[in-house]
Coordinates of all heavy atoms in Angstrom, one line a residue:
M1 N 23.7 149.9 59.7 CA 24.7 150.7 59.0 C 24.7 152.1 59.4 O 25.5 152.9 58.9 CB 24.3 150.6 57.5 CG 24.4 149.2 56.9 SD 26.0 148.5 56.9 CE 25.6 146.8 56.6
A2 N 23.9 152.5 60.4 CA 23.8 153.8 60.9 C 24.9 154.1 62.0 O 25.0 155.2 62.5 CB 22.4 154.1 61.4
G3 N 25.6 153.1 62.4 CA 26.6 153.2 63.4 C 26.1 152.9 64.8 O 24.9 152.4 64.9
F4 N 26.9 153.0 65.8 CA 26.5 152.7 67.1 C 25.6 153.8 67.7 O 26.0 154.9 67.7 CB 27.7 152.4 68.0 CG 28.5 151.2 67.7 CD1 29.6 151.2 67.0 CD2 28.0 150.0 68.2 CE1 30.3 150.0 66.7 CE2 28.7 148.8 67.9 CZ 29.8 148.8 67.2
E5 N 24.5 153.4 68.3 CA 23.6 154.4 69.0 C 23.2 153.8 70.3 O 22.5 152.8 70.3 CB 22.5 154.7 68.1 CG 21.4 155.6 68.7 CD 21.9 156.9 69.1 OE1 22.6 157.5 68.4 OE2 21.6 157.3 70.3
P6 N 23.7 154.3 71.5 CA 24.6 155.4 71.6 C 26.0 155.0 71.3 O 26.3 153.8 71.4 CB 24.4 155.8 73.1 CG 24.0 154.6 73.8 CD 23.2 153.8 72.8
S7 N 26.9 155.9 71.1 CA 28.3 155.5 70.8 C 29.2 155.7 72.0 O 30.4 155.5 72.0 CB 28.9 156.4 69.6 OG 28.8 157.7 70.0
R8 N 28.5 156.2 73.1 CA 29.3 156.4 74.4 C 28.5 155.7 75.5 O 27.4 156.0 75.7 CB 29.4 157.9 74.7 CG 30.5 158.2 75.6 CD 30.9 159.7 75.7 NE 32.0 159.7 76.6 CZ 33.3 159.7 76.2 NH1 33.6 159.6 74.9 NH2 34.3 159.7 77.1
L9 N 29.2 154.7 76.1 CA 28.6 153.9 77.1 C 29.3 154.1 78.4 O 30.5 154.3 78.4 CB 28.6 152.4 76.7 CG 28.1 152.0 75.4 CD1 28.3 150.6 75.1 CD2 26.6 152.3 75.3
Q10 N 28.5 154.0 79.5 CA 29.2 154.2 80.8 C 28.8 153.0 81.7 O 27.7 152.5 81.7 CB 28.7 155.5 81.5 CG 29.3 156.7 80.8 CD 28.9 158.0 81.5 OE1 27.9 158.1 82.1 NE2 29.8 159.0 81.4
A11 N 29.8 152.6 82.5 CA 29.6 151.5 83.5 C 30.4 151.7 84.7 O 31.3 152.6 84.7 CB 29.9 150.2 82.8
R12 N 30.1 151.0 85.7 CA 30.9 151.1 87.0 C 31.9 149.9 87.1 O 31.5 148.8 86.8 CB 30.0 151.0 88.2 CG 29.3 152.3 88.5 CD 29.1 152.5 90.0 NE 28.6 153.9 90.2 CZ 29.5 154.9 90.3 NH1 30.8 154.7 90.2 NH2 29.0 156.1 90.5
A13 N 33.1 150.2 87.5 CA 34.1 149.2 87.7 C 33.6 148.3 88.8 O 33.0 148.7 89.8 CB 35.4 149.8 88.0
G14 N 33.9 147.0 88.7 CA 33.6 146.0 89.7 C 32.2 145.5 89.7 O 31.8 144.7 90.5
Q15 N 31.4 146.0 88.7 CA 30.0 145.5 88.6 C 29.8 144.9 87.3 O 30.4 145.4 86.3 CB 29.0 146.7 88.8 CG 29.0 147.2 90.2 CD 27.9 148.3 90.3 OE1 27.1 148.6 89.4 NE2 27.8 148.9 91.5
D16 N 29.0 143.8 87.2 CA 28.8 143.2 86.0 C 28.2 144.1 84.9 O 27.3 144.9 85.3 CB 27.8 142.0 86.2 CG 28.6 140.7 86.5 OD1 29.8 140.8 86.8 OD2 28.0 139.6 86.4
V17 N 28.7 144.0 83.7 CA 28.2 144.9 82.6 C 27.5 144.0 81.6 O 28.2 143.1 81.1 CB 29.4 145.6 82.0 CG1 28.8 146.5 80.8 CG2 30.1 146.5 83.0
A18 N 26.2 144.2 81.4 CA 25.5 143.5 80.4 C 25.1 144.4 79.3 O 24.6 145.5 79.6 CB 24.3 142.8 81.0
L19 N 25.4 144.1 78.0 CA 25.0 144.9 76.9 C 24.0 144.2 76.0 O 24.2 143.0 75.7 CB 26.2 145.3 76.1 CG 27.2 146.3 76.8 CD1 28.5 146.5 75.9 CD2 26.6 147.6 77.1
T20 N 23.0 144.9 75.5 CA 22.1 144.3 74.6 C 22.3 145.0 73.2 O 22.2 146.2 73.2 CB 20.6 144.5 75.0 OG1 20.5 143.7 76.2 CG2 19.7 143.9 74.0
F21 N 22.6 144.2 72.2 CA 22.8 144.8 70.9 C 21.5 144.5 70.0 O 21.0 143.4 70.0 CB 24.0 144.1 70.2 CG 25.3 144.3 71.0 CD1 25.7 143.3 71.9 CD2 26.0 145.4 70.9 CE1 26.8 143.4 72.6 CE2 27.2 145.6 71.6 CZ 27.6 144.6 72.5
V22 N 21.1 145.5 69.3 CA 20.0 145.3 68.3 C 20.5 145.7 66.9 O 21.0 146.8 66.7 CB 18.8 146.3 68.7 CG1 17.7 146.1 67.7 CG2 18.4 146.0 70.1
N23 N 20.6 144.7 66.1 CA 21.0 144.9 64.7 C 19.8 144.9 63.8 O 19.1 144.0 63.6 CB 21.9 143.7 64.3 CG 22.5 143.9 62.9 OD1 22.1 144.8 62.2 ND2 23.3 142.9 62.5
A24 N 19.6 146.1 63.3 CA 18.4 146.4 62.5 C 18.6 146.1 61.0 O 17.7 146.1 60.2 CB 17.9 147.8 62.6
D25 N 19.8 145.7 60.6 CA 20.1 145.5 59.2 C 19.8 144.1 58.7 O 19.9 143.2 59.5 CB 21.6 145.8 58.9 CG 21.9 147.3 59.1 OD1 21.1 148.1 58.6 OD2 23.0 147.6 59.7
S26 N 19.4 144.0 57.5 CA 19.0 142.7 56.9 C 20.2 142.1 56.3 O 21.2 142.7 56.0 CB 17.9 142.9 55.9 OG 18.4 143.4 54.7
Q27 N 20.1 140.8 56.0 CA 21.1 140.0 55.3 C 21.4 140.5 53.9 O 22.3 140.0 53.3 CB 20.9 138.5 55.4 CG 19.8 138.0 54.5 CD 18.4 138.0 55.2 OE1 18.1 138.9 56.1 NE2 17.6 137.0 54.9
F28 N 20.5 141.3 53.4 CA 20.7 141.7 52.0 C 21.7 142.9 51.8 O 21.9 143.3 50.7 CB 19.3 142.1 51.4 CG 18.3 141.0 51.5 CD1 17.2 141.0 52.3 CD2 18.6 139.8 50.7 CE1 16.3 140.0 52.4 CE2 17.7 138.7 50.8 CZ 16.6 138.8 51.7
H29 N 22.3 143.3 52.9 CA 23.3 144.4 52.7 C 24.5 143.8 52.0 O 25.0 142.7 52.4 CB 23.7 144.9 54.1 CG 22.9 146.1 54.5 ND1 23.1 147.3 54.0 CD2 21.9 146.2 55.4 CE1 22.2 148.2 54.5 NE2 21.5 147.5 55.4
V30 N 24.9 144.5 51.0 CA 26.1 144.0 50.2 C 27.4 144.0 51.1 O 28.2 143.1 51.0 CB 26.4 144.9 49.0 CG1 26.6 144.0 47.8 CG2 25.3 145.9 48.8
D31 N 27.4 144.9 52.0 CA 28.6 145.2 52.8 C 28.5 144.4 54.1 O 27.8 144.8 55.1 CB 28.7 146.7 53.1 CG 30.1 147.1 53.5 OD1 31.0 146.2 53.5 OD2 30.3 148.2 53.9
G32 N 29.1 143.2 54.2 CA 29.2 142.4 55.4 C 27.9 141.6 55.6 O 27.8 140.9 56.6
G33 N 27.0 141.6 54.7 CA 25.8 140.7 54.8 C 24.9 141.1 55.9 O 24.1 140.3 56.4
G34 N 25.0 142.3 56.4 CA 24.2 142.7 57.5 C 24.7 142.4 58.9 O 24.1 142.7 59.9
W35 N 25.8 141.7 59.0 CA 26.4 141.4 60.3 C 27.1 142.6 60.8 O 27.6 143.4 60.1 CB 27.4 140.2 60.1 CG 26.8 138.9 60.1 CD1 26.2 138.3 59.0 CD2 26.7 137.9 61.1 NE1 25.8 137.1 59.3 CE2 26.1 136.8 60.6 CE3 27.1 137.9 62.5 CZ2 25.8 135.7 61.4 CZ3 26.9 136.8 63.2 CH2 26.2 135.7 62.7
H36 N 27.1 142.7 62.2 CA 27.9 143.7 62.8 C 28.7 143.1 64.0 O 28.5 142.0 64.4 CB 27.1 144.9 63.3 CG 26.5 145.7 62.2 ND1 27.2 146.6 61.5 CD2 25.2 145.7 61.7 CE1 26.4 147.1 60.6 NE2 25.2 146.6 60.7
Q37 N 29.7 143.9 64.4 CA 30.6 143.4 65.4 C 30.7 144.4 66.6 O 30.5 145.6 66.3 CB 32.0 143.2 64.7 CG 33.1 142.8 65.6 CD 34.4 142.8 64.9 OE1 34.6 143.7 64.1 NE2 35.3 141.9 65.2
F38 N 31.0 143.9 67.8 CA 31.4 144.8 68.9 C 32.7 144.3 69.4 O 32.8 143.3 70.0 CB 30.3 144.7 70.0 CG 30.6 145.6 71.2 CD1 30.3 146.9 71.2 CD2 31.1 145.0 72.3 CE1 30.6 147.7 72.3 CE2 31.4 145.8 73.4 CZ 31.1 147.2 73.4
R39 N 33.7 145.1 69.0 CA 35.1 144.6 69.3 C 35.8 145.6 70.3 O 35.8 146.8 70.0 CB 35.8 144.4 68.0 CG 37.3 144.1 68.2 CD 37.6 142.7 68.1 NE 39.0 142.4 68.0 CZ 39.7 141.8 69.0 NH1 39.1 141.4 70.1 NH2 41.0 141.6 68.9
I40 N 36.3 145.1 71.4 CA 37.2 145.9 72.2 C 38.5 145.1 72.3 O 38.6 144.1 73.0 CB 36.6 146.1 73.6 CG1 35.3 146.8 73.6 CG2 37.6 146.9 74.5 CD1 34.6 147.1 74.9
E41 N 39.5 145.6 71.6 CA 40.8 144.9 71.6 C 41.4 144.8 73.0 O 41.9 143.7 73.4 CB 41.8 145.6 70.7 CG 41.5 145.4 69.2 CD 42.4 146.2 68.3 OE1 43.5 146.6 68.8 OE2 42.1 146.4 67.2
A42 N 41.4 145.8 73.8 CA 42.0 145.9 75.1 C 41.5 144.8 76.0 O 42.2 144.4 76.9 CB 41.9 147.3 75.7
L43 N 40.2 144.4 75.8 CA 39.6 143.5 76.7 C 39.4 142.1 76.1 O 38.8 141.2 76.6 CB 38.2 144.0 77.2 CG 38.3 145.3 78.0 CD1 36.9 145.8 78.3 CD2 39.0 145.1 79.3
N44 N 39.9 142.0 74.8 CA 39.7 140.8 74.1 C 38.2 140.4 73.9 O 37.9 139.2 74.0 CB 40.5 139.6 74.7 CG 40.9 138.6 73.7 OD1 40.9 138.9 72.5 ND2 41.3 137.4 74.1
I45 N 37.4 141.4 73.7 CA 36.0 141.1 73.5 C 35.7 141.2 72.0 O 36.1 142.2 71.3 CB 35.1 142.2 74.2 CG1 35.3 142.0 75.7 CG2 33.7 142.2 73.8 CD1 34.7 143.1 76.6
D46 N 35.0 140.2 71.5 CA 34.6 140.1 70.1 C 33.2 139.5 69.9 O 33.1 138.3 70.0 CB 35.7 139.3 69.3 CG 35.4 139.4 67.8 OD1 34.4 139.9 67.4 OD2 36.3 138.9 67.1
V47 N 32.2 140.4 69.8 CA 30.8 139.9 69.7 C 30.4 140.1 68.3 O 30.6 141.2 67.7 CB 29.9 140.7 70.7 CG1 28.5 140.2 70.6 CG2 30.4 140.6 72.1
R48 N 29.7 139.1 67.7 CA 29.2 139.2 66.4 C 27.7 139.2 66.5 O 27.1 138.3 67.1 CB 29.7 138.1 65.5 CG 31.2 137.9 65.5 CD 31.8 138.6 64.4 NE 33.3 138.7 64.6 CZ 34.2 138.7 63.7 NH1 33.8 138.6 62.4 NH2 35.5 138.8 63.9
I49 N 27.0 140.1 65.8 CA 25.6 140.2 65.9 C 25.0 139.9 64.5 O 25.3 140.7 63.6 CB 25.1 141.5 66.4 CG1 25.7 141.8 67.8 CG2 23.6 141.6 66.6 CD1 26.9 142.8 67.8
A50 N 24.2 138.9 64.4 CA 23.6 138.5 63.1 C 22.6 139.5 62.6 O 22.0 140.3 63.4 CB 22.9 137.1 63.3
P51 N 22.3 139.5 61.3 CA 21.4 140.5 60.8 C 20.0 140.3 61.4 O 19.6 139.2 61.7 CB 21.3 140.1 59.3 CG 22.3 139.1 59.0 CD 23.0 138.7 60.3
K52 N 19.3 141.4 61.6 CA 17.9 141.4 62.1 C 17.8 140.6 63.4 O 16.9 139.7 63.6 CB 16.9 140.8 61.1 CG 16.7 141.7 59.9 CD 15.7 142.7 60.2 CE 15.4 143.6 59.0 NZ 14.9 144.9 59.4
S53 N 18.8 140.8 64.3 CA 18.7 140.0 65.5 C 19.1 140.9 66.7 O 19.6 142.0 66.6 CB 19.6 138.8 65.5 OG 21.0 139.2 65.7
Q54 N 18.8 140.3 67.9 CA 19.1 141.0 69.1 C 19.9 140.0 70.0 O 19.7 138.8 70.0 CB 17.8 141.4 69.8 CG 18.0 142.1 71.1 CD 16.7 142.7 71.6 OE1 15.9 143.1 70.8 NE2 16.5 142.6 72.9
K55 N 20.9 140.6 70.7 CA 21.8 139.7 71.5 C 22.2 140.4 72.8 O 22.7 141.6 72.7 CB 23.0 139.4 70.6 CG 24.0 138.3 71.2 CD 25.1 138.1 70.2 CE 25.7 136.8 70.3 NZ 26.7 136.5 69.3
T56 N 22.1 139.7 73.9 CA 22.6 140.3 75.2 C 23.9 139.5 75.6 O 23.9 138.3 75.6 CB 21.5 140.2 76.3 OG1 20.4 141.0 75.8 CG2 22.0 140.8 77.6
V57 N 24.9 140.3 75.9 CA 26.2 139.7 76.3 C 26.6 140.3 77.7 O 26.5 141.5 77.9 CB 27.2 140.0 75.3 CG1 28.6 139.5 75.7 CG2 26.9 139.5 73.9
N58 N 27.0 139.3 78.6 CA 27.5 139.8 79.9 C 29.0 139.8 79.8 O 29.7 138.8 79.5 CB 27.0 138.8 80.9 CG 27.3 139.3 82.3 OD1 28.1 140.2 82.5 ND2 26.5 138.9 83.3
L59 N 29.5 141.0 80.0 CA 31.0 141.2 79.9 C 31.7 141.0 81.2 O 32.9 141.1 81.3 CB 31.3 142.6 79.4 CG 30.6 143.1 78.0 CD1 31.0 144.5 77.7 CD2 31.0 142.2 76.9
G60 N 30.9 140.7 82.2 CA 31.5 140.5 83.5 C 31.9 141.9 84.1 O 31.4 142.9 83.7
S61 N 32.7 141.9 85.2 CA 33.1 143.1 85.8 C 34.4 143.6 85.2 O 35.3 142.8 84.9 CB 33.2 143.0 87.3 OG 34.4 142.4 87.7
L62 N 34.5 144.9 84.9 CA 35.6 145.4 84.1 C 36.4 146.3 84.9 O 35.9 147.0 85.8 CB 35.1 146.1 82.8 CG 34.2 145.3 81.9 CD1 33.6 146.2 80.8 CD2 35.0 144.1 81.3
P63 N 37.7 146.4 84.7 CA 38.6 147.4 85.4 C 38.3 148.8 84.8 O 37.9 148.9 83.6 CB 40.0 146.9 85.0 CG 39.9 146.0 83.9 CD 38.5 145.5 83.8
A64 N 38.5 149.8 85.7 CA 38.2 151.2 85.2 C 39.1 151.5 84.0 O 40.2 151.1 83.9 CB 38.5 152.1 86.4
G65 N 38.5 152.3 83.2 CA 39.3 152.8 82.0 C 38.4 153.2 80.9 O 37.1 153.0 81.0
N66 N 38.9 153.8 79.8 CA 38.2 154.1 78.6 C 38.5 153.1 77.5 O 39.7 152.9 77.2 CB 38.5 155.5 78.1 CG 37.8 156.6 79.0 OD1 36.8 156.3 79.6 ND2 38.4 157.7 79.0
Y67 N 37.5 152.4 77.1 CA 37.8 151.3 76.1 C 37.1 151.7 74.8 O 35.9 151.9 74.7 CB 37.2 150.0 76.6 CG 37.8 149.6 77.9 CD1 37.1 149.8 79.1 CD2 39.1 149.1 78.0 CE1 37.6 149.4 80.3 CE2 39.6 148.7 79.2 CZ 38.9 148.9 80.4 OH 39.5 148.6 81.6
E68 N 37.9 151.7 73.7 CA 37.3 152.0 72.4 C 36.8 150.7 71.8 O 37.4 149.6 71.9 CB 38.4 152.5 71.5 CG 38.8 153.9 71.7 CD 39.6 154.5 70.5 OE1 39.4 153.9 69.4 OE2 40.3 155.4 70.7
F69 N 35.6 150.8 71.3 CA 35.0 149.7 70.6 C 34.7 150.0 69.1 O 34.6 151.2 68.8 CB 33.7 149.2 71.3 CG 32.6 150.1 71.4 CD1 31.7 150.4 70.4 CD2 32.4 150.8 72.6 CE1 30.7 151.3 70.5 CE2 31.3 151.7 72.8 CZ 30.5 151.9 71.7
Y70 N 34.6 149.0 68.3 CA 34.4 149.3 66.9 C 33.8 148.1 66.2 O 33.7 147.0 66.8 CB 35.6 149.7 66.1 CG 36.7 148.7 66.1 CD1 36.7 147.6 65.3 CD2 37.8 148.8 67.0 CE1 37.7 146.6 65.3 CE2 38.9 147.9 67.0 CZ 38.8 146.8 66.2 OH 39.8 145.9 66.2
C71 N 33.2 148.3 65.0 CA 32.8 147.2 64.2 C 33.7 147.2 62.9 O 33.9 148.2 62.3 CB 31.3 147.4 63.7 SG 30.8 146.3 62.4
D72 N 34.3 146.1 62.7 CA 35.2 146.0 61.6 C 34.7 145.2 60.4 O 35.5 144.7 59.6 CB 36.6 145.4 62.1 CG 37.7 145.9 61.2 OD1 37.6 146.9 60.5 OD2 38.8 145.2 61.2
I73 N 33.4 145.0 60.4 CA 32.8 144.1 59.4 C 32.3 144.9 58.2 O 32.4 144.5 57.0 CB 31.7 143.2 59.9 CG1 32.3 142.3 61.0 CG2 30.9 142.5 58.9 CD1 31.2 141.4 61.6
C74 N 31.7 146.1 58.5 CA 31.0 146.8 57.4 C 31.5 148.2 57.2 O 32.3 148.7 57.9 CB 29.5 146.9 57.9 SG 29.4 147.9 59.4
C75 N 31.0 148.8 56.1 CA 31.2 150.2 55.9 C 32.6 150.8 56.1 O 32.7 151.8 56.8 CB 30.2 151.0 56.8 SG 28.6 150.3 57.0
G76 N 33.6 150.1 55.6 CA 34.9 150.7 55.8 C 35.5 150.3 57.2 O 36.6 150.7 57.5
G77 N 34.8 149.5 57.9 CA 35.3 149.0 59.2 C 35.7 150.0 60.2 O 35.0 151.0 60.3
K78 N 36.7 149.7 61.0 CA 37.0 150.6 62.2 C 37.4 151.9 61.8 O 37.5 152.8 62.7 CB 38.0 149.9 63.1 CG 39.3 149.5 62.5 CD 40.2 148.8 63.5 CE 41.5 148.4 62.8 NZ 42.4 147.7 63.8
E79 N 37.8 152.2 60.5 CA 38.2 153.5 60.2 C 37.0 154.4 60.0 O 37.1 155.7 59.9 CB 39.0 153.5 58.9 CG 40.2 152.6 58.9 CD 41.1 152.8 60.1 OE1 41.3 153.9 60.5 OE2 41.7 151.8 60.5
N80 N 35.8 153.9 59.9 CA 34.6 154.7 59.8 C 34.2 155.2 61.2 O 33.9 154.5 62.1 CB 33.5 153.8 59.2 CG 32.2 154.5 59.1 OD1 32.0 155.6 59.6 ND2 31.3 153.9 58.3
P81 N 34.2 156.5 61.3 CA 33.9 157.2 62.6 C 32.6 156.8 63.2 O 32.5 156.8 64.4 CB 34.0 158.7 62.3 CG 34.2 158.8 60.9 CD 34.5 157.5 60.2
S82 N 31.6 156.4 62.4 CA 30.3 156.1 63.0 C 30.3 154.7 63.5 O 29.4 154.2 64.2 CB 29.2 156.4 62.0 OG 29.1 155.4 61.0
M83 N 31.3 153.9 63.1 CA 31.3 152.5 63.5 C 32.3 152.3 64.7 O 32.9 151.2 64.9 CB 31.8 151.6 62.4 CG 30.6 151.3 61.4 SD 29.3 150.4 62.1 CE 28.0 150.6 60.9
R84 N 32.4 153.4 65.5 CA 33.3 153.3 66.7 C 32.5 153.9 67.9 O 31.5 154.6 67.7 CB 34.5 154.1 66.5 CG 35.2 154.1 65.2 CD 36.5 154.9 65.2 NE 37.4 154.4 66.2 CZ 38.4 153.6 66.0 NH1 38.6 153.2 64.8 NH2 39.1 153.2 67.0
G85 N 33.1 153.7 69.0 CA 32.5 154.3 70.2 C 33.4 154.1 71.4 O 34.5 153.5 71.3
V86 N 33.0 154.6 72.6 CA 33.8 154.4 73.8 C 33.0 153.9 74.9 O 31.9 154.3 75.1 CB 34.4 155.8 74.2 CG1 35.2 155.6 75.5 CG2 35.4 156.3 73.1
L87 N 33.5 152.9 75.6 CA 32.9 152.4 76.8 C 33.7 152.9 78.0 O 34.9 152.6 78.1 CB 32.9 150.9 76.8 CG 32.6 150.2 78.2 CD1 31.2 150.5 78.6 CD2 32.7 148.7 78.0
E88 N 33.1 153.7 78.8 CA 33.8 154.4 79.9 C 33.4 153.6 81.2 O 32.3 153.6 81.6 CB 33.3 155.8 80.0 CG 34.1 156.7 80.8 CD 33.5 158.1 80.8 OE1 33.0 158.6 79.8 OE2 33.5 158.8 81.9
V89 N 34.5 153.0 81.8 CA 34.2 152.3 83.1 C 34.9 153.1 84.2 O 36.1 153.4 84.2 CB 34.8 150.9 83.0 CG1 34.6 150.2 84.3 CG2 34.3 150.1 81.9
R90 N 34.1 153.6 85.1 CA 34.6 154.4 86.2 C 34.7 153.6 87.5 O 33.8 152.8 87.9 CB 33.6 155.6 86.5 CG 33.6 156.6 85.3 CD 32.8 157.7 85.7 NE 32.6 158.7 84.6 CZ 31.8 159.7 84.6 NH1 31.0 159.9 85.7 NH2 31.7 160.5 83.6
G91 N 35.8 153.9 88.2 CA 36.0 153.3 89.5 C 35.2 153.9 90.6 O 34.4 154.8 90.4
Ligands
CU1 CU1 29.0 147.2 61.5

């Protein structure tokens, strides 16, 4: 519930990008049951991370650009500034 840490990620275009998510929240959270999401609309990425769990996802190689990501499950969803971030892919 503390938001994304870090909220700014950097990667290189044309190289595989693997991200590991650590969700420290328990299922007893009223808001979203402790689940969180990593969503990038522009890339059609939608990762759900269960409470008290860790998950590594390979996003493959991405085109250069700045991609906004957010969690829309908890704490007011994507309108909450701490539940957003940017993935910067440089060519
Ligand atoms: Cu969340």
Side-chain angles (χ1 to χ4, degrees):
M1 298 295 166
F4 288 102
E5 175 58 46
S7 62
R8 203 166 180 91
L9 306 173
Q10 290 184 331
R12 281 213 168 278
Q15 291 184 2
D16 272 13
V17 178
L19 293 176
T20 298
F21 302 96
V22 180
N23 182 355
D25 289 317
S26 77
Q27 71 269 34
F28 301 113
H29 270 284
V30 226
D31 199 5
W35 281 79
H36 291 287
Q37 178 189 34
F38 179 82
R39 172 96 170 109
I40 300 179
E41 282 175 24
L43 299 171
N44 209 17
I45 290 168
D46 186 351
V47 179
R48 311 264 166 146
I49 305 102
K52 290 279 180 204
S53 76
Q54 182 171 322
K55 186 179 204 171
T56 298
V57 177
N58 192 336
L59 305 180
S61 79
L62 304 173
N66 283 335
Y67 303 100
E68 283 197 25
F69 59 82
Y70 60 77
C71 168
D72 203 21
I73 293 179
C74 63
C75 317
K78 58 182 175 178
E79 306 309 328
N80 180 343
S82 75
M83 282 296 163
R84 321 183 56 99
V86 175
L87 168 62
E88 192 182 325
V89 181
R90 290 187 187 169

